[in-house]
Amino acid sequence: MRIDVLTLFPEMFVGVFGASILGKARDKGIVSLNTVNFRDFANNKHNTVDDMPYGGGGGMVLKAEPIFGAAEHVVAEHSASGTSDKPPRIILMCPQGEPLTQRKAQELSAESHLIFVCGHYEGYDERIREFLVTDELSIGDYVLTGGELPAMVVIDTVVRLLPGVLGNEQSAVTDSFSDGLLEYPHYTRPAEFRGWKVPDALLSGHHAEIEKWRRRQSLQRTLERRPELLEVAELTAEERRWLEENKIK
Ligand SMILES: Cc1cccc(C(=O)NCC2(NC(=O)c3cccc4nocc34)CCCC2)c1
């Protein structure tokens, strides 16, 4: 997979793209991670990437030309490499975007080329949305200074799904989440810490009992903290009965 990030602050990605899981995925050649500063494509007199909004009002708006130029440069470079098969997804990171979900991450992980656009100021000239991008994504409803951190979040959750990126032990996390429930409690040694003991069920060595305990804990925790997830989770009839009994308490 090739990933390009169009940003005014490429330096923000050096650490994130060089460290840990993403760094290893890059070293293994599973993913190529690149940044492009779209200021380099501001071919106007003052090299400006933003300008005042038509219609007045405060703040500045990102101009279309530099972002179109940067995106077209990346597309041309990738198709020239001869490895491109289908056109890239051009993903606009913005508060108005579709909420990021694990399902969306799984969808994007099947692509061969992703281009992320990170904004600043008040946002983007609408022609970027109308005529350039294929997707708009948001990581949540809060105010940020830029789209770079959201792009890092999406890249993290997408790249970890690529074959060969995670060892077997870590991919279990994806499995537990993809059943749509919150995770069960985790414990590790010592069995007692400051008098606080690990639940007996986990020390029993009975795998069926342990799985039952974990599933029950996931249900309980989801009911307590994120009951709305239970509407769409796949539950057995017995689990639904148990929930009905516990919802009343
Ligand atoms: C709720 C709300 C209302 C109005 C503005 C903003 C806001 O934060 N505006 C600032 C910008 N925010 C984001 O890009 C951004 C923000 C949050 C999640 C995101 N997921 O992807 C990109 C995201 C947009 C242009 C520059 C940064 C937020």
Side-chain angles (χ1 to χ4, degrees), residues 90-209:
I90 304 181
I91 304 163
L92 192 72
M93 298 311 301
C94 61
Q96 307 89 335
E98 174 189 346
L100 175 66
T101 61
Q102 191 64 28
R103 184 185 301 274
K104 187 69 182 180
Q106 276 152 355
E107 177 199 317
L108 293 176
S109 70
E111 294 291 331
S112 53
H113 187 197
L114 301 178
I115 300 174
F116 289 91
V117 184
C118 306
H120 274 269
Y121 312 109
E122 296 309 303
Y124 307 93
D125 182 289
E126 189 61 13
R127 288 163 288 192
I128 293 165
R129 208 174 245 115
E130 265 187 273
F131 304 112
L132 180 68
V133 308
T134 58
D135 302 75
E136 296 179 47
L137 267 187
S138 171
I139 64 164
D141 296 329
Y142 31 77
V143 183
L144 296 173
T145 57
E148 281 77 13
L149 290 174
M152 291 175 204
V153 166
V154 180
I155 291 166
D156 186 283
T157 191
V158 166
V159 170
R160 66 181 294 281
L161 294 173
L162 299 178
V165 172
L166 290 185
N168 294 335
E169 71 285 350
Q170 290 164 302
S171 56
V173 174
T174 311
D175 301 344
S176 66
F177 184 85
S178 55
D179 71 10
L181 297 180
L182 298 184
E183 277 189 55
Y184 46 78
H186 297 277
Y187 293 88
T188 187
R189 287 180 296 187
E192 182 167 338
F193 171 65
R194 296 186 185 179
W196 305 320
K197 294 182 179 177
V198 172
D200 291 340
L202 296 180
L203 304 176
S204 66
H206 294 299
H207 293 290
E209 189 186 328

Side-chain angles (χ1 to χ4, degrees), residues 47-63:
N47 255 15
T48 51
V49 293
D50 62 319
D51 202 342
M52 292 179 294
Y54 276 113
M60 301 292 275
V61 174
L62 283 173
K63 293 172 66 68

